Amino acid sequence: MFNASLKVIEVGLKEILRGESYKPISYNCQTFTDTACNNERKSADATKWIERILFGSAALIVLGAVFGGGNGR
């Protein structure tokens, strides 16, 4: 559910007054906006990047185990 315009301003100002410092993953501009507009503290883009990094790392580990597991003998 979206907040009404004045509520967005109120929540946004309260967030600013809290003075939380910027953190690229846990508190960024998208987190601030989602908190003010939707009362949800999340960043969809940060979550996507974390998932991509984890998937890529897992894929590299699996490929390394499959193709690089032998010592060439």
Side-chain angles (χ1 to χ4, degrees):
M1 180 169 166
F2 295 107
N3 287 333
S5 299
L6 290 177
K7 184 68 174 176
V8 170
I9 294 169
E10 177 188 346
V11 174
L13 290 173
K14 285 181 180 179
E15 285 294 302
I16 291 169
L17 292 175
R18 280 186 340 110
E20 185 171 351
S21 61
Y22 181 88
K23 298 173 191 88
I25 295 174
S26 62
Y27 192 74
N28 55 38
C29 56
Q30 194 174 42
T31 308
F32 175 84
T33 304
D34 278 346
T35 301
C37 294
N38 307 323
N39 299 316
E40 293 181 5
R41 187 181 166 100
K42 66 176 184 167
S43 174
D45 288 339
T47 302
K48 286 179 193 175
W49 278 105
I50 291 170
E51 289 171 354
R52 290 173 184 162
I53 290 169
L54 291 175
F55 177 77
S57 298
L60 288 175
I61 290 169
V62 169
L63 289 174
V66 170
F67 295 110
N71 56 13
R73 292 184 191 190

